[in-house]
Amino acid sequence: MYRLTPQLLRTSFVGRERDARAIADLFARGDVRIVTLTGPGGVGKTRLAFHVLNRLESALPDGVVIVDLATITIPDLVLPAIAHEFGIMESGAESIMARLVRVIGQRRTLLLVDNFEQVAEAGMVISRLASDCPNVAFLVTSRMPLHIAGEHEYTVSPLETPPVRGNSPNGVMLDGVPTEEYPAVRLFIERAQAAHRAFAPTPEMVRTVGEITALLDGLPLAIELAAARTKLFSLQALLNRLDDRMGLLTGGPRDLPDRLQTMRNAIAWSYDILSPEEKAVFRRVSIFPNSFSLEAAEAVVAGPLAEQERAFVEEYDGSPSDLEPIGNVLGHLESLADKSLLQAVTGLHEDVRFRMLLTIQEFGREQLRAERELLLMRMRLLVHSYEHLANLDELLFGPEQRIWLDRLDLEQGNIRGALQFALEYPREFGVQGVHLASSVWRYWLVRGHVAEGARWLEQALACRDTVEIPVLIEAEAVNRLGNLLLDLGKHEEAERHYRESLALYRSADHRDGVADELNNLGLVQLLQGRIERARSSLEESLALRRDGGDPRALPNTLSNLGDLAIEERNYDRAESLHMEALSIRREIGNLRGMALSCCSLGQVAFFWKEFDRARRWFDEGLEYQTQVDDSYSLAMLMLGLGRLDLATGRPVQAMKRLGRALEVSQRMGSRRMVLSVIDTIATSAVSYGFDRDAIRLFGTTQGVRERENLHHPQRECAATDRVLAMLTQRLGESVVSREHTIGRRQWLNQAVQEAAALIVQIQERLETGEVGTAGVNGVFDPAAATRKARAFGLTRRERQVLALLVRGASDKEIAEALSIAPRTAMTHVSNVLAKLGVNRRTAAASYAIREGLVDPGATREG
């Protein structure tokens, strides 16, 4: 869960203590769960929200989650953005809202959603979450209220400023408060001293500062912009310029609040004193939703107007002005950062990137519209992104995988902005949009943005109704959409896209493409258990790839055939195929592929019971995984190591590994992986007395596989069947059938939560040394059971009642079995529930088995 860090709070917090306390008190009331901080841009809503979270964090056992919507302008992306911060991805038949509610429904956490005004239509997302998640509180920042039930609007006012009139010679105002104690004045002085170390205001200068802050209406951002000017202008010069500017505001738009007019004109004042080239750079870089590099800025803002660009702008926005080329872009960016109109931020490997505050960015966009450059800059952003990332898939294969993944983390918002522009103008830019969305697919896969990636690709490919896409670009995009759908567990849709892509590649006589689709079809067929079809597809793919095909793609087919051999328990062939795949991946430097190959080879060694060799393979895979930070290979390796630890008597370490595998695979949305991890946890749980929990988990995984047509690997299936047979012998067929049915009816997310809780319970049992007491490994210890019953305060009769509860007996059946009145039986049941600290009969039964209070063999129903 997200925790606040000192970096998030390392910002000025002047004059807001009362606000922070008032907002915290609102949440403390208990009946307030949605608070929206409203106010104009630059008033300090986000900064205040962070400090409110700092006050509340200690009272939130499940922590704080922060969702920044600054780069999201499409309401439909709000819910996926929130879900992603909780580690939840869209997959399978269950909606992302349902998954989110199931995961966080009972958590006591606070969700900060920042910059909501640009997606105001999504307010019902907050309303639904608040309704379905009773313990989650919501702190929203927006320039307008959400207008939803239960919302408490808290208006963030500007900082208090001294009155312009009534200054006394000694700097004390008419109300008796010294000028320097006003929050707005304190902020100005602090920021001026940060910009100019020699700034040491005299009493006269403090009075001037008071007048400046009053004319700026106490808006923090405007104050900070003005304070940055102290390096160039005296305070009196600043005051004179602001005074003149304020005189021009009287004719401003009446439908805007005065303070918003002041804010805009405070930025306009900073803009007006820029040189013509600085103005051009400033307004043009406002097109970047995210931070941007010098290279991107030069590509988008510096060049003259090309004829193709002129034709496009003339068609949609009238005649554009000529653009003079701009030199020394870096110098202009540094100057803008020095004037607080840009922020320089550290990128990768200490590279400098730049970003623009949202409010300033909006002003820049206004200037773009006024100069008729907005459409042109959006076009250039798309073209730059398309050209810059055209060969991205190749880069994500080689040794620079990690560098490019980290770089794309910084470019997400810019890519979204480029793709949105392509969707709006499909006739002119549909092809570039498809190519860009297709190029980024592997990043979306590795970073877990699978549902969003699939959505962009689907929308981009819709332009086929408007414009003809080159066959190979279309085939590649359709294939990659299939890849994302496959990871989401939508196997039938993935197969349909693979077959469509195969037909396109065959029409173009593209051998590598045909080989790729045959490989992908073989993978789908393998995952669905259609072994012979999978073998046919994969072997045909392999033949094409060995006959002069792309060597980088060959390991994929070799690995899939290796997995097929594992399915058939032909471990010699499996090892040979995976070793060949690893060798090729090493040659080309594919770190992610090397990690996956090592994992597969570790599995083969594990199945041979060569545990030392298996561990060496898994450890080597982890070294490669760490270098690329790939989620899928991490989950695979943690699962493999967890199974190995269980087999070699390291249960504590195994639980940690399995917990990590469950967390990562759940965050990715990889349902196949989640199912395998849960089955492993369930199998291990039986060794520690959690029989009924294990049965329910097995029921859930079997039900999900049947509903979604997911193949259960033969070896894993046989292991599960053996465990269930043993439990049937121990508990009786009716008990196993009932628990298994309960498990089949629950959603996978419920099983994930139960499995995670089970890991904690097993760890506690291991740490306290309770393993081997009542209920463990099916051996019941009556003496231990009696000691525990006394600790709970259970009488002999109540223990008899508890044993009948475990069998699922009703009050009437308990009364008949014990020859007591039904009302007396009901009283005993209530006492048992109270002493065990549970509120349901089924919970009491489950607890009794886990804690060894009841002999499982004696509860068998005949």
Coordinates of all heavy atoms in Angstrom, one line a residue, residues 33-34 36 67 69 72 74-84 86 95-98 100-101 104 111-113 116 119-134 136-138 140 146-149 151 455:
R33 N -17.2 10.6 4.4 CA -16.2 9.7 3.7 C -15.7 10.2 2.4 O -14.8 9.7 1.8 CB -16.8 8.3 3.5 CG -17.0 7.5 4.9 CD -17.6 6.2 4.7 NE -17.0 5.5 3.6 CZ -17.7 5.0 2.5 NH1 -19.0 5.1 2.5 NH2 -17.1 4.3 1.6
I34 N -16.4 11.3 1.9 CA -15.9 11.9 0.7 C -15.8 13.4 0.9 O -16.7 14.1 1.2 CB -16.9 11.7 -0.5 CG1 -17.3 10.2 -0.7 CG2 -16.4 12.3 -1.8 CD1 -18.4 10.0 -1.7
T36 N -14.2 16.8 -1.0 CA -13.6 17.3 -2.2 C -13.0 18.7 -1.9 O -13.8 19.6 -1.5 CB -14.7 17.5 -3.3 OG1 -15.3 16.2 -3.6 CG2 -14.1 18.0 -4.6
V67 N -3.9 8.6 -6.5 CA -4.1 8.4 -7.9 C -4.0 9.8 -8.5 O -4.9 10.7 -8.2 CB -5.5 7.8 -8.2 CG1 -5.7 7.6 -9.7 CG2 -5.6 6.4 -7.5
L69 N -4.5 12.1 -11.7 CA -5.2 12.1 -13.0 C -4.7 13.2 -13.9 O -5.4 13.5 -14.9 CB -6.7 12.2 -12.8 CG -7.4 11.1 -11.9 CD1 -8.9 11.4 -11.8 CD2 -7.1 9.7 -12.4
I72 N -4.6 12.2 -17.4 CA -5.8 11.4 -17.9 C -6.9 12.4 -18.2 O -7.3 13.2 -17.4 CB -6.2 10.4 -16.9 CG1 -5.2 9.3 -16.8 CG2 -7.6 9.8 -17.3 CD1 -5.5 8.2 -15.8
I74 N -9.6 11.2 -20.3 CA -10.7 10.4 -20.8 C -11.4 9.8 -19.6 O -10.7 9.0 -18.8 CB -10.2 9.3 -21.7 CG1 -9.5 9.9 -22.9 CG2 -11.4 8.4 -22.2 CD1 -8.8 8.9 -23.8
P75 N -12.7 10.1 -19.3 CA -13.3 9.6 -18.1 C -13.3 8.1 -17.9 O -13.2 7.5 -16.8 CB -14.8 10.0 -18.3 CG -14.7 11.3 -19.1 CD -13.5 11.0 -20.0
D76 N -13.3 7.3 -19.1 CA -13.3 5.9 -19.0 C -12.0 5.3 -18.4 O -11.9 4.1 -18.0 CB -13.5 5.2 -20.4 CG -15.0 5.4 -20.8 OD1 -15.8 5.7 -20.0 OD2 -15.2 5.2 -22.0
L77 N -10.9 6.1 -18.4 CA -9.6 5.6 -17.9 C -9.5 5.9 -16.4 O -8.5 5.5 -15.8 CB -8.5 6.3 -18.6 CG -8.3 6.0 -20.1 CD1 -7.1 6.7 -20.7 CD2 -8.1 4.5 -20.2
V78 N -10.5 6.5 -15.8 CA -10.3 6.8 -14.3 C -10.4 5.6 -13.5 O -9.5 5.3 -12.6 CB -11.4 7.8 -13.9 CG1 -11.5 8.0 -12.4 CG2 -11.2 9.2 -14.5
L79 N -11.4 4.7 -13.8 CA -11.5 3.5 -13.0 C -10.3 2.6 -13.2 O -9.7 2.1 -12.2 CB -12.8 2.7 -13.4 CG -13.0 1.4 -12.6 CD1 -13.1 1.7 -11.1 CD2 -14.3 0.8 -13.1
P80 N -9.8 2.3 -14.4 CA -8.5 1.5 -14.5 C -7.3 2.2 -13.8 O -6.5 1.5 -13.2 CB -8.3 1.5 -16.0 CG -9.6 1.7 -16.6 CD -10.4 2.6 -15.7
A81 N -7.3 3.5 -13.8 CA -6.2 4.2 -13.1 C -6.2 3.9 -11.6 O -5.2 3.7 -11.0 CB -6.2 5.7 -13.4
I82 N -7.4 4.0 -11.0 CA -7.6 3.7 -9.6 C -7.2 2.3 -9.3 O -6.5 1.9 -8.4 CB -9.0 4.1 -9.1 CG1 -9.3 5.6 -9.2 CG2 -9.2 3.6 -7.7 CD1 -10.7 6.0 -8.9
A83 N -7.8 1.4 -10.1 CA -7.5 -0.1 -9.9 C -6.0 -0.4 -10.0 O -5.5 -1.2 -9.3 CB -8.3 -0.9 -11.0
H84 N -5.4 0.3 -11.0 CA -3.9 0.0 -11.1 C -3.1 0.3 -9.9 O -2.2 -0.4 -9.5 CB -3.4 0.8 -12.3 CG -1.9 0.4 -12.6 ND1 -1.6 -0.8 -13.2 CD2 -0.8 1.1 -12.4 CE1 -0.2 -0.8 -13.3 NE2 0.2 0.4 -12.9
F86 N -4.1 0.0 -6.9 CA -4.3 -1.0 -6.0 C -3.7 -2.4 -6.4 O -4.0 -3.4 -5.8 CB -5.8 -1.2 -5.7 CG -6.4 -0.2 -4.7 CD1 -7.0 0.9 -5.2 CD2 -6.3 -0.3 -3.4 CE1 -7.6 1.9 -4.3 CE2 -6.8 0.6 -2.5 CZ -7.4 1.7 -3.0
S95 N -15.9 -7.7 -14.2 CA -15.6 -6.3 -14.5 C -14.6 -5.8 -13.6 O -14.4 -6.3 -12.4 CB -16.9 -5.5 -14.4 OG -17.3 -5.3 -13.1
I96 N -13.9 -4.7 -14.0 CA -12.8 -4.2 -13.2 C -13.4 -3.5 -12.0 O -12.8 -3.5 -10.9 CB -12.0 -3.2 -14.1 CG1 -10.7 -2.8 -13.3 CG2 -12.7 -1.9 -14.4 CD1 -9.7 -2.1 -14.2
M97 N -14.6 -3.0 -12.1 CA -15.3 -2.4 -10.9 C -15.5 -3.5 -9.9 O -15.3 -3.3 -8.7 CB -16.6 -1.7 -11.3 CG -17.4 -1.2 -10.1 SD -16.6 0.1 -9.1 CE -16.9 1.6 -10.1
A98 N -16.0 -4.6 -10.3 CA -16.3 -5.7 -9.4 C -15.1 -6.2 -8.7 O -15.0 -6.5 -7.5 CB -17.0 -6.8 -10.1
L100 N -12.3 -4.5 -8.2 CA -11.8 -3.5 -7.3 C -12.6 -3.5 -6.0 O -12.0 -3.5 -4.9 CB -11.9 -2.1 -8.0 CG -11.4 -0.9 -7.2 CD1 -9.9 -1.1 -6.8 CD2 -11.5 0.4 -8.0
V101 N -13.9 -3.6 -6.1 CA -14.8 -3.6 -4.9 C -14.4 -4.9 -4.0 O -14.4 -4.8 -2.8 CB -16.2 -3.6 -5.3 CG1 -17.1 -3.9 -4.1 CG2 -16.6 -2.2 -5.9
I104 N -10.8 -4.2 -2.3 CA -10.7 -3.2 -1.3 C -11.9 -3.0 -0.4 O -11.9 -2.1 0.5 CB -10.3 -1.8 -1.9 CG1 -11.5 -1.2 -2.7 CG2 -9.1 -2.0 -2.8 CD1 -11.2 0.2 -3.2
L111 N -8.2 7.1 -0.1 CA -7.8 7.2 -1.5 C -7.8 8.7 -1.9 O -8.8 9.4 -1.8 CB -8.8 6.5 -2.4 CG -8.7 6.5 -3.9 CD1 -7.3 6.0 -4.3 CD2 -9.8 5.8 -4.6
L112 N -6.7 9.2 -2.2 CA -6.5 10.6 -2.7 C -6.6 10.6 -4.3 O -5.7 9.9 -4.9 CB -5.3 11.3 -2.3 CG -4.9 12.6 -3.0 CD1 -6.0 13.6 -2.8 CD2 -3.5 13.1 -2.5
V113 N -7.6 11.2 -4.8 CA -7.7 11.3 -6.3 C -7.4 12.8 -6.7 O -8.2 13.7 -6.3 CB -9.1 10.9 -6.8 CG1 -9.1 10.8 -8.3 CG2 -9.4 9.5 -6.2
F116 N -9.2 16.0 -10.5 CA -10.4 15.4 -11.0 C -11.1 16.2 -12.0 O -12.0 15.7 -12.7 CB -11.3 15.0 -9.8 CG -12.1 13.8 -10.1 CD1 -11.8 12.5 -9.6 CD2 -13.3 13.9 -10.8 CE1 -12.5 11.4 -9.9 CE2 -14.1 12.8 -11.1 CZ -13.7 11.5 -10.6
V119 N -11.9 15.2 -15.7 CA -12.6 14.0 -15.9 C -13.9 14.0 -15.0 O -14.3 13.0 -14.5 CB -11.8 12.7 -15.7 CG1 -10.8 12.5 -16.8 CG2 -11.1 12.8 -14.4
A120 N -14.5 15.2 -14.9 CA -15.6 15.3 -14.0 C -16.8 14.3 -14.2 O -17.5 14.0 -13.3 CB -16.1 16.8 -14.0
E121 N -16.9 13.9 -15.5 CA -18.0 13.0 -15.8 C -17.8 11.6 -15.1 O -18.8 10.9 -15.0 CB -18.1 12.7 -17.3 CG -18.3 14.0 -18.2 CD -17.0 14.6 -18.6 OE1 -16.0 14.6 -17.9 OE2 -17.0 15.2 -19.7
A122 N -16.7 11.4 -14.6 CA -16.4 10.1 -13.9 C -16.7 10.1 -12.4 O -16.3 9.3 -11.7 CB -14.9 9.7 -14.1
G123 N -17.4 11.2 -12.0 CA -17.7 11.3 -10.6 C -18.5 10.1 -10.0 O -18.3 9.7 -8.8
M124 N -19.3 9.4 -10.9 CA -20.0 8.3 -10.4 C -19.1 7.1 -10.0 O -19.5 6.2 -9.3 CB -21.1 7.8 -11.4 CG -22.2 8.8 -11.6 SD -23.0 9.3 -10.1 CE -23.7 7.7 -9.6
V125 N -17.9 7.1 -10.5 CA -16.9 6.0 -10.1 C -16.7 6.2 -8.6 O -16.7 5.2 -7.9 CB -15.6 6.2 -10.9 CG1 -14.6 5.3 -10.3 CG2 -15.9 5.9 -12.4
I126 N -16.5 7.4 -8.1 CA -16.2 7.6 -6.7 C -17.5 7.3 -5.9 O -17.4 6.6 -4.9 CB -15.8 9.1 -6.4 CG1 -14.6 9.4 -7.3 CG2 -15.6 9.3 -5.0 CD1 -13.4 8.6 -6.9
S127 N -18.7 7.6 -6.5 CA -19.9 7.4 -5.8 C -20.1 5.8 -5.6 O -20.5 5.4 -4.5 CB -21.1 8.0 -6.6 OG -22.3 7.7 -5.9
R128 N -19.9 5.1 -6.7 CA -20.0 3.6 -6.6 C -19.0 3.0 -5.6 O -19.4 2.1 -4.8 CB -19.9 3.1 -8.0 CG -19.7 1.5 -8.1 CD -21.0 0.8 -7.8 NE -20.8 -0.6 -7.7 CZ -20.6 -1.5 -8.8 NH1 -20.8 -1.0 -10.0 NH2 -20.5 -2.8 -8.6
L129 N -17.8 3.4 -5.7 CA -16.8 2.9 -4.8 C -17.2 3.2 -3.3 O -17.0 2.4 -2.4 CB -15.4 3.4 -5.1 CG -14.8 2.9 -6.4 CD1 -13.5 3.6 -6.7 CD2 -14.5 1.4 -6.3
A130 N -17.6 4.4 -3.1 CA -18.0 4.8 -1.7 C -19.2 4.0 -1.2 O -19.2 3.6 0.0 CB -18.3 6.3 -1.7
S131 N -20.1 3.6 -2.1 CA -21.2 2.9 -1.7 C -20.9 1.4 -1.4 O -21.4 0.8 -0.5 CB -22.3 2.9 -2.9 OG -23.3 2.0 -2.6
D132 N -20.0 0.8 -2.2 CA -19.6 -0.6 -2.1 C -18.4 -0.9 -1.2 O -18.2 -2.0 -0.9 CB -19.4 -1.2 -3.5 CG -20.7 -1.2 -4.3 OD1 -21.8 -1.0 -3.8 OD2 -20.6 -1.4 -5.6
C133 N -17.7 0.1 -0.8 CA -16.5 -0.1 0.0 C -16.7 0.8 1.3 O -16.2 1.9 1.3 CB -15.2 0.3 -0.8 SG -15.0 -0.5 -2.3
P134 N -17.4 0.3 2.3 CA -17.8 1.1 3.4 C -16.6 1.6 4.3 O -16.8 2.5 5.1 CB -18.7 0.1 4.2 CG -18.2 -1.2 3.8 CD -17.8 -1.1 2.4
V136 N -13.6 2.6 3.1 CA -12.6 3.5 2.3 C -13.1 4.9 2.3 O -14.3 5.2 2.1 CB -12.5 3.0 0.8 CG1 -11.6 3.9 0.0 CG2 -12.0 1.5 0.8
A137 N -12.2 5.8 2.6 CA -12.5 7.3 2.6 C -11.9 7.9 1.3 O -10.9 7.3 0.8 CB -12.0 8.0 3.8
F138 N -12.4 9.0 0.8 CA -12.0 9.6 -0.4 C -11.7 11.1 -0.2 O -12.5 11.8 0.3 CB -13.1 9.4 -1.5 CG -13.4 8.0 -1.8 CD1 -14.3 7.3 -1.0 CD2 -12.9 7.3 -2.8 CE1 -14.7 6.0 -1.2 CE2 -13.2 6.0 -3.1 CZ -14.1 5.3 -2.2
V140 N -10.6 14.2 -2.6 CA -10.5 14.5 -4.0 C -10.1 16.0 -4.2 O -10.6 16.8 -3.4 CB -11.9 14.3 -4.7 CG1 -11.8 14.6 -6.2 CG2 -12.4 12.8 -4.5
L146 N -17.9 17.3 -7.2 CA -18.3 16.2 -8.0 C -19.8 16.1 -8.2 O -20.3 15.4 -9.1 CB -17.8 14.9 -7.4 CG -16.3 14.8 -7.1 CD1 -15.9 13.4 -6.7 CD2 -15.5 15.2 -8.4
H147 N -20.5 16.7 -7.2 CA -22.0 16.6 -7.2 C -22.5 15.2 -7.1 O -23.3 14.7 -7.9 CB -22.6 17.3 -8.5 CG -22.2 18.8 -8.6 ND1 -22.7 19.7 -7.7 CD2 -21.5 19.4 -9.5 CE1 -22.2 20.9 -8.1 NE2 -21.5 20.7 -9.2
I148 N -22.0 14.5 -6.1 CA -22.4 13.1 -5.8 C -22.9 13.1 -4.4 O -22.5 13.9 -3.6 CB -21.3 12.1 -6.1 CG1 -20.1 12.4 -5.2 CG2 -20.9 12.1 -7.6 CD1 -19.0 11.4 -5.4
A149 N -23.7 12.1 -4.1 CA -24.3 11.9 -2.8 C -23.1 11.6 -1.8 O -22.2 10.9 -2.1 CB -25.3 10.7 -2.7
E151 N -21.0 13.7 -0.7 CA -19.8 14.6 -0.8 C -19.8 15.8 0.1 O -20.9 16.4 0.2 CB -19.7 15.0 -2.3 CG -18.6 16.0 -2.6 CD -18.6 16.6 -4.0 OE1 -19.7 16.8 -4.5 OE2 -17.5 16.9 -4.5
R455 N -7.3 -1.8 -24.9 CA -8.3 -0.8 -25.2 C -7.8 0.2 -26.3 O -8.4 0.5 -27.3 CB -8.7 0.0 -24.0 CG -9.9 0.9 -24.2 CD -10.3 1.6 -22.9 NE -10.7 0.6 -21.9 CZ -10.1 0.4 -20.7 NH1 -8.9 1.0 -20.5 NH2 -10.5 -0.5 -19.9

